[in-house]
Amino acid sequence: MTILTREAELPYYAPHDLRHTHATNLANTEIPLKLVSHRLGHASVKTTMDRYAKVKPNASVKYLKKVQK
């Protein structure tokens, strides 16, 4: 991968960095966290929550509007 990214003049990202980005993006969607956890191979949803789920600005406002419908 290092050789390919160098030849393509792209920045190198380790495979784990790509996994982390993918997991964070999934955790911040409306996909159920249990599915994200399963996809990542975590034994517990708590692991997924602790590492990848971040509270985004305006998330509570969006949630409250959704609940009020």
Side-chain angles (χ1 to χ4, degrees):
M1 194 159 162
T2 304
I3 294 169
L4 294 174
T5 54
R6 190 178 302 137
E7 287 178 5
E9 297 180 6
L10 295 170
Y12 173 77
Y13 295 102
H16 185 77
D17 295 337
L18 298 175
R19 172 188 163 86
H20 185 77
T21 300
H22 175 66
T24 301
N25 289 338
L26 283 176
N28 288 317
T29 65
E30 293 185 13
I31 297 171
L33 220 40
K34 179 67 176 168
L35 292 176
V36 175
S37 182
H38 177 61
R39 181 180 182 109
L40 296 171
H42 293 157
S44 165
V45 175
K46 182 179 179 336
T47 303
T48 309
M49 288 287 295
D50 290 345
R51 294 192 179 142
Y52 301 109
K54 310 290 186 239
V55 176
K56 295 190 302 188
N58 300 324
S60 57
V61 172
K62 182 179 175 182
Y63 176 75
L64 289 174
K65 285 180 181 179
K66 196 174 194 177
V67 172
Q68 289 175 348
K69 288 183 180 182

